[in-house]
Structures are given as structure tokens and as C-alpha cells.
Amino acid sequence: DDANGDTHAPSDQQQPPLHPNNETIVGDNFLHIHEATMLAHANLTKSDIAYASFEAGFYETPYCIIIDRKWKSIVVSIRGSLTLEDCVVDVLLDPSPLDGLGEKYGFNGAGQYCHGGVVECANWLHDDLMRHKILQGLLLGDTAQYPGYSLRIVGHSLGAGIGVILSLMLRNTYPALRCLCYSPPGGLLTWELARECSEFVNSFVLDSDIVPRLSVNNMERLRDEVLHLIARVKLSKYEIAQRIFWHGVCGDVELGDLDFLIQQNEDMLYAPDNVPDSDFKRQLQRFEMIQQERRSSRGLARSISLYPPGRITHLVKTGQTKNCLHGLAGCITCGASNAGAEYTPIQKENDDFNEIEISPTLWTDHFPNRVCIEIERIAQRFGIDTTLGSP
């Protein structure tokens, strides 16, 4: 112990291997590309990695355990889905009841539900942790290698959702653990548990990110709004494209001019209660009847509403610094760049993400590197040290 009573871990050279087969990296290729990429991207050394699994399957999820000496934490980091298609497929899985899981691991899961795929992945990850006993060796008992260190579970996208369920499973053993969710899935937990876990779960959402808004209900609502909008269109597709090009791309008006936008909508769209009869309108009415019948036949599971977890901080775009480089980046990426964007952290409720926002950045706002950059910028504004490495 030092003068302040802090407990220091033994040097890495004195530590026994944590994995029973002396393997700290599992599932990498023979060139060790995954390991090298992880170390380079996160500015880590091999001594910072207690364990990493790159094995991926239907429920097997890549994750790693990192020793963060600067913040005196053991960090379990969980990778999320790689593609938008993964997220859409995953969100369509039926919710799973959490009654049995709650009884087994000591949390209140009575009457609560969770995204079914996330539960299965969390079960696999928990079993893998228990099999290798790495966390126990690092944190528990008289022989703990890092006594006094805290446990942090972090994840991005579906990895964030897995992290929440894993935290619920581990919290009785590690009562001081905290879970940090970056861009978590919207269809994750029922309302009560999504709110209750805010005691130890913090979620971060960047602006128009689509994933925290993804749910069956939200996607169906967006589909219905688009179909009704099509039914209201007065003009041909060519005329609409022409207006968008001249006023949007060529920029002969400010897009923030609300009076102009309202007039444009009136010129292009019928009022919702004054849509003339057409073949498309009749087909839409038949489609809505069929969808209503399907909703009725889904049963209880598909009618359950799920929400993003914990205490949610929404990084809202509130400004834009304009210069030639920022303009060029926006042009090259068709508006999907956040170069020059300024964000403000705002506390949000779990049901505030009940609508998919159509934005050029709705998918790129989900990229982990983009989320990381903006969180670090905001942390620096509040005087928080975001540099890596030992203090």
C-alpha cells in the first residue's frame, strides 16, 4: 500500500497465467491480425490484456478483458454486430422472459422481458467467463491479483445489450460493477428493468443513430408513414427530384427557412384528410387491414415494448463549424460526415427513442470510432483526462 492507502497490483512478470492453457488470446488467425489490430487501435500492450476471445458464432461473441491500471479497473469489453443487416435481423427476434434468469442470478426479472438473441449471447459469455475463472483470479479472494480494482463492463451496439444482461448476472458477485453502453439497441428491455438498471448502467447515443431506435414497432411505424406520404404526393417523381436538386443541392434557399419548407410541402402533398381516391390508396387500405390481422395473430410476445437501457445521455448536434474542409467532407460523404459538428450532452428518458429519425447520419452516427471521438471531446470540455496509458 502507498501513503494514500491505494493497493498496487504485482508486476506483470510475477503474475501466474490466467488461462488454464496459458492462452490469453483465443480464436485469432495464425498471423495474429486481430490481436495486433486491437493493441494498435486501443494503444494497449500485451500486458494490458488478461484474456481475449475472437471466436464468433451464432451466440459466441468476441470479447476481451483489459487491465486498466490508470483507472484501477478490470474492463470486460464486448464487440457488437458488424453490419446493419445483423441489427435488423436481431431486432426481429422474439423477447425472452427473464423470470428464470432473475431467480438464478438474484435480480428482479419477474414479468420482465429482453431481446431473445441478447439473452443467449449473454449466457454464452457468462459461461465462458466462469469456465476460465479469469475475473475471479483478478478480483476475488485473498489471492486476487488486483485487489481494490473495480469491474467495468462495456459494449457497443448489441455488445452493449449483452453487457447489460451480463451485468445483471454478475452484480451479486461484483456489487460495485458499472456497465457503459455505447449505442445500445432500442429493443432491449421492458420498461421497468430498463429504468431500474440506471443505478449501474449508463448509455450513450450519438445524435440520429438508428440502432437505439430500432424496434419492430418503430420500423412498422416508419413504413406506414412512408406509404401514407407516397399516397399524398401530387407531383411526378421527376418534378419532385427537380425541386430537391435545385433547392437542396444547388442551395438557392436556406433549408432552415420553415416558411419555404411548409410551402414546398403544400405544393407537393395533399392534406392528410384530403387524399383523392387512387389505386395506390385502395391497395394501401387493403395492406393495412392485412397488417392489422397479422398483429392480432402475433400473440403476446410480439406486442411487448422494449426500450434502451439505463441512464441515457444523448449527444445532440447543436452546432456546425463551417469551413472549406468541412464542406468538402460533407459533399464527398453526401452529408454523412460529422466534420465540424458540435454536440451537447442531454439526459433523455428511455422512451424518448420511439421514432426513427431520417438523417444522412442515421447509420454513420452508430460507428464506434465516431461515438468515441465525440464522447472524448465532451469529456475534455468538462476537464476529464482522456489520455491513455498509466498515470
Side-chain angles (χ1 to χ4, degrees):
D1 289 1
D2 62 16
N4 297 320
D6 290 333
T7 303
H8 291 285
S11 66
D12 294 312
Q13 289 76 13
Q14 298 173 345
Q15 296 174 16
L18 293 166
H19 193 276
N21 298 323
N22 293 342
E23 292 181 306
T24 56
I25 307 293
V26 176
D28 204 351
N29 55 45
F30 74 98
L31 294 175
H32 305 287
I33 290 176
H34 295 305
E35 177 188 2
T37 302
M38 177 179 66
L39 294 177
H41 184 73
N43 195 24
L44 300 171
T45 65
K46 279 194 173 185
S47 65
D48 296 325
I49 307 298
Y51 179 72
S53 172
F54 297 108
E55 294 176 335
F58 194 67
Y59 292 129
E60 292 175 321
T61 303
Y63 75 98
C64 63
I65 302 174
I66 299 169
I67 304 164
D68 186 343
R69 297 175 178 85
K70 179 173 182 176
W71 293 92
K72 297 189 183 303
S73 298
I74 302 299
V75 181
V76 178
S77 180
I78 309 167
R79 198 199 74 184
S81 290
L82 288 178
T83 65
L84 178 59
E85 288 80 2
D86 291 341
C87 297
V88 173
V89 170
D90 290 335
V91 82
L92 294 176
L93 289 174
D94 286 339
S96 292
L98 294 176
D99 305 69
L101 204 68
E103 290 180 9
K104 183 176 181 179
Y105 295 105
F107 66 88
N108 182 19
Q112 301 302 304
Y113 288 80
C114 176
H115 178 292
V118 166
V119 173
E120 295 297 336
C121 291
N123 274 321
W124 176 86
L125 206 158
H126 182 271
D127 291 345
D128 200 56
L129 287 172
M130 294 303 103
R131 182 165 59 252
H132 299 320
K133 301 185 184 301
I134 296 173
L135 290 183
Q136 293 94 315
L138 291 169
L139 295 170
L140 298 180
D142 295 334
T143 59
Q145 295 183 25
Y146 293 90
Y149 274 45
S150 56
L151 178 61
R152 297 289 181 264
I153 297 177
V154 305
H156 174 260
S157 190
L158 284 176
I162 296 167
V164 174
I165 302 303
L166 181 65
S167 298
L168 288 167
M169 299 165 78
L170 292 176
R171 198 160 176 253
N172 270 0
T173 306
Y174 307 93
L177 77 76
R178 297 196 68 81
C179 179
L180 301 176
C181 300
Y182 304 103
S183 311
L188 184 64
L189 294 171
T190 37
W191 178 255
E192 185 176 339
L193 195 55
R195 294 294 302 272
E196 285 180 356
C197 70
S198 61
E199 180 182 345
F200 60 94
V201 175
N202 288 84
S203 294
F204 299 88
V205 177
L206 180 60
D207 204 44
S208 301
D209 187 350
I210 188 175
V211 172
R213 297 172 169 88
L214 273 182
S215 69
V216 173
N217 290 338
N218 286 357
M219 288 192 291
E220 288 185 344
R221 187 181 299 114
L222 177 61
R223 176 202 63 198
D224 294 342
E225 288 176 355
V226 170
L227 291 175
H228 279 275
L229 195 64
I230 293 172
R232 294 172 54 199
V233 172
K234 297 179 182 179
L235 308 179
S236 68
K237 289 182 283 187
Y238 173 76
E239 291 175 297
I240 293 174
Q242 191 177 42
R243 285 177 180 239
I244 292 173
F245 178 81
W246 286 113
H247 297 310
V249 178
C250 294
D252 60 344
V253 295
E254 284 290 331
L255 292 182
D257 186 343
L258 293 181
D259 291 335
F260 170 79
L261 293 175
I262 291 171
Q263 185 60 52
Q264 283 288 296
N265 283 343
E266 290 178 354
D267 292 344
M268 291 190 292
L269 301 173
Y270 292 106
D273 56 352
N274 193 32
V275 180
D277 189 41
S278 66
D279 287 340
F280 183 84
K281 182 179 179 181
R282 289 190 292 271
Q283 290 172 1
L284 179 56
Q285 290 170 341
R286 287 196 296 271
F287 174 79
E288 289 177 327
M289 290 176 59
I290 293 171
Q291 290 304 309
Q292 186 58 45
E293 292 173 0
R294 288 181 176 176
R295 288 191 190 99
S296 302
S297 64
R298 282 176 182 169
L300 175 63
R302 280 293 178 89
S303 65
I304 295 171
S305 296
L306 301 177
Y307 303 88
R311 186 181 182 190
I312 302 175
T313 300
H314 188 196
L315 308 183
V316 180
K317 184 177 178 181
T318 53
Q320 179 75 43
T321 302
K322 294 185 178 180
N323 60 37
C324 292
L325 289 177
H326 297 157
L328 179 61
C331 181
I332 293 173
T333 61
C334 297
S337 169
N338 65 341
E342 298 173 356
Y343 297 89
T344 300
I346 298 175
Q347 209 70 42
K348 289 292 187 74
E349 297 296 328
N350 302 73
D351 58 352
D352 284 338
F353 299 89
N354 59 357
E355 193 172 58
I356 295 174
E357 292 186 4
I358 303 302
S359 162
T361 63
L362 62 83
W363 178 232
T364 55
D365 279 345
H366 187 66
F367 290 177
N369 59 313
R370 196 151 166 171
V371 177
C372 177
I373 290 170
E374 299 310 328
I375 289 178
E376 286 185 348
R377 285 176 179 169
I378 291 173
Q380 289 164 5
R381 276 164 35 195
F382 284 88
I384 300 172
D385 182 10
T386 61
T387 55
L388 298 173
S390 301

